[in-house]
Amino acid sequence: MEICNLVDALERRPQEKTIIKNKLVDLAKGTYLLSEENPADTKARDTTFELSLFSFLQARGLDINICEPNPDLRLKSEKYTYEIECKRPQSVNSLEKSIKKATKQLGRSSGNNVIPTIALSLDQVLFERKDLILDSKDETSASNFLNTTFELFLRDNLKMLQKVINNKSCLVLYYLSCLVGFKTDIPMANATFITGNIYNFEDELSHSVFEDLNALIPQSSCSTSIFNAAGTY
């Protein structure tokens, strides 16, 4: 389904052919099943997430482009340019290393109204089961579970995040996409959840970025949970 979403996104918003070719080569080095992933193969995992996030944002009609080598993605709004480094850590043990790498890469971001952004895919960090199917009663209970899961993650990792980011100014987005099985008339759906933290910006700028993100991806409490029938997302 992710490949179908990517093809649709590229048809709607064509990208530079050389960049896409390089990304697909990286993607092909990965595995079909998450349970078969090689922990050392960070490039394929990061590229998978990068293209998934591109598809997600493009599907919402946003001005998003795939870049190379840095940043991974560039998202433009009327106010800001978000230069995004995408990381998909294989486990909680590699989380800190991934954030350190992204922070270092973001040191190259500069310019007026540029918001350095780290996007973290947390599927492998938050779910012990490798193939990412969440069993839930209905959409509301699934959304509540994801909210609670993210709250626990942030509580447990906030000190580490603050230590790694230190005094650098950046936006951190946390992303999770998985299949959800419902005990309702909709047997299966795709759930995508995004939340985030803003670090070390002045209060006025932090508020402005928060408002801008809510305009780009309408949400409440800086988070969004989006459900669509499997195969149509």
Side-chain angles (χ1 to χ4, degrees):
M1 187 161 58
E2 286 186 347
I3 293 297
C4 293
N5 292 340
L6 175 61
V7 171
D8 289 343
L10 291 173
E11 287 179 347
R12 290 189 296 262
R13 190 173 182 84
Q15 301 291 298
E16 187 176 326
K17 290 183 180 179
T18 301
I19 292 178
I20 296 302
K21 180 180 178 180
N22 292 340
K23 299 297 182 183
L24 293 178
V25 168
D26 291 335
L27 192 64
K29 296 175 182 177
T31 59
Y32 181 73
L33 295 176
L34 295 176
S35 54
E36 296 177 353
E37 281 189 336
N38 179 354
D41 190 7
T42 60
K43 187 66 173 178
R45 283 199 309 276
D46 290 347
T47 302
T48 300
F49 171 44
E50 179 184 330
L51 297 177
S52 296
L53 184 57
F54 166 78
S55 301
F56 174 81
L57 296 173
Q58 199 289 320
R60 277 137 195 86
L62 302 181
D63 185 355
I64 181 73
N65 286 290
I66 301 172
C67 305
E68 192 178 58
N70 299 105
D72 294 321
L73 300 174
R74 183 173 286 114
L75 172 65
K76 292 184 178 181
S77 71
E78 293 182 359
K79 290 183 177 180
Y80 302 110
T81 296
Y82 298 88
E83 298 205 335
I84 307 172
E85 291 293 339
C86 299
K87 302 299 175 191
R88 185 169 172 259
Q90 198 268 343
S91 68
V92 68
N93 295 327
S94 62
L95 180 62
E96 184 172 347
K97 182 179 179 180
S98 295
I99 297 171
K100 285 180 177 179
K101 184 176 180 180
T103 302
K104 183 178 180 179
Q105 290 170 322
L106 284 174
R108 304 163 191 166
S109 297
S110 62
N112 294 331
N113 299 321
V114 171
I115 306 298
T117 304
I118 300 171
L120 295 172
S121 176
L122 298 178
D123 48 13
Q124 297 287 71
V125 173
L126 297 179
F127 287 134
E128 292 182 2
R129 290 174 298 177
K130 295 293 184 180
D131 290 315
L132 297 181
I133 298 179
L134 175 63
D135 185 20
S136 188
K137 179 181 178 181
D138 52 32
E139 181 178 329
T140 300
S141 57
S143 181
N144 289 339
F145 172 80
L146 291 174
N147 269 302
T148 301
T149 300
F150 268 95
E151 287 175 2
L152 291 173
F153 166 81
L154 292 174
R155 183 197 67 187
D156 293 341
N157 293 280
L158 182 59
K159 288 185 178 179
M160 180 272 291
L161 286 160
Q162 291 173 333
K163 181 188 74 172
V164 173
I165 293 170
N166 196 11
N167 60 355
K168 297 180 178 67
S169 299
C170 70
L171 166 69
V172 181
L173 298 175
Y174 313 102
Y175 177 98
L176 177 65
S177 184
C178 63
L179 287 174
V180 181
F182 293 135
K183 298 174 183 177
T184 64
D185 293 336
I186 304 176
M188 189 73 73
N190 181 262
T192 299
F193 188 98
I194 293 182
T195 189
N197 292 123
I198 300 169
Y199 288 91
N200 301 322
F201 289 123
E202 295 180 358
D203 289 345
E204 184 176 349
L205 179 56
S206 293
H207 182 71
S208 179
V209 169
F210 178 85
E211 288 187 334
D212 193 49
L213 290 171
N214 274 279
L216 292 173
I217 310 173
Q219 49 195 303
S220 61
S221 302
C222 202
S223 65
T224 183
S225 184
I226 297 153
F227 289 84
N228 294 277
T232 63
Y233 176 60

